Amino acid sequence: PEMTLHHQLDSWREGEFADDVPSLSGIHFEVIEPALDDATRELLAKALQARVRNQVRKDRRVLPIDLNQFVWFSADTPPQEALLPIERIRQMLNRTRLRHEGVPVSIHVMAGVVAGLADDDAPRLLKRLQAAHQHTLDESDHATSLDTGQGPLGIAAYDIEVVESDCEF
């Protein structure tokens, strides 16, 4: 994933959107209950990644950073414009009734968006996104954070109508 992100950053710098501020969006989830073994966590992660992939534009690559985090780079979407889609995805995942072998699984989903800065490389951009996710963990009032270069700030939840759905994994 880091190599793919590095390539995407290079393409942005050399492409038609080089003058724009790109964004890196990320979803992070924590399993609340029940405790899951590694194989089941992997199945859950794949199911959630597929759901995220179905929600983003087809030209985006949803990259797994670890078993509970996915990111995608958007060279043509400024961070403020990336907030509505990431918030919709976060709310959709939070309203998904997850089940594994008939057993309900509860998760908490957080989201973050960071601006791609001119001097960012892939590790630095991912580190800033990790800081945004940590900010949402530390700040219970907001589940989404935005970092435009000055550090993460909590974003109030958008009022979006999202239909509940089911996912057996």
Side-chain angles (χ1 to χ4, degrees):
E2 196 169 292
M3 283 294 254
T4 300
L5 183 55
H6 176 73
H7 175 71
Q8 290 172 329
L9 283 166
D10 285 347
S11 294
W12 160 64
R13 287 185 180 100
E14 298 166 4
E16 66 180 287
F17 299 108
D19 293 334
D20 297 337
V21 176
S23 60
L24 181 70
S25 300
I27 292 289
H28 178 93
F29 69 92
E30 296 290 331
V31 176
I32 299 170
E33 63 178 333
L36 303 177
D37 61 38
D38 290 344
T40 306
R41 283 182 79 80
E42 188 170 331
L43 290 172
L44 172 61
K46 286 181 181 181
L48 294 177
Q49 182 181 7
R51 286 186 167 264
V52 170
R53 192 178 306 117
N54 287 332
Q55 296 297 313
V56 299
R57 284 183 10 196
K58 299 303 177 206
D59 63 339
R60 307 281 191 244
R61 292 202 48 203
V62 179
L63 306 169
I65 299 303
D66 58 32
L67 271 183
N68 63 340
Q69 184 176 357
F70 315 106
V71 302
W72 58 96
F73 182 74
S74 304
D76 60 347
T77 306
Q80 291 80 0
E81 290 179 25
L83 284 173
L84 181 60
I86 192 92
E87 181 65 7
R88 180 181 42 77
I89 291 168
R90 184 191 68 75
Q91 289 184 29
M92 182 262 316
L93 292 175
N94 269 337
R95 291 188 178 119
T96 301
R97 291 180 295 268
L98 301 164
R99 297 181 80 71
H100 178 69
E101 297 178 350
V103 176
V105 175
S106 298
I107 62 171
H108 176 65
V109 182
M110 296 151 286
V113 175
V114 296
L117 305 176
D119 59 344
D120 275 337
D121 59 10
R124 182 167 179 233
L125 197 56
L126 289 170
K127 184 176 181 178
R128 289 180 43 234
L129 185 62
Q130 293 292 354
H133 287 310
Q134 187 61 50
H135 186 267
T136 61
L137 284 170
D138 296 341
E139 184 182 308
S140 61
D141 291 344
H142 300 104
T144 300
S145 289
L146 171 66
D147 179 356
T148 58
Q150 313 328 46
L153 298 171
I155 302 298
Y158 286 38
D159 187 18
I160 303 171
E161 188 173 326
V162 178
V163 177
E164 288 189 6
S165 63
D166 294 301
C167 177
E168 180 76 33
F169 64 94

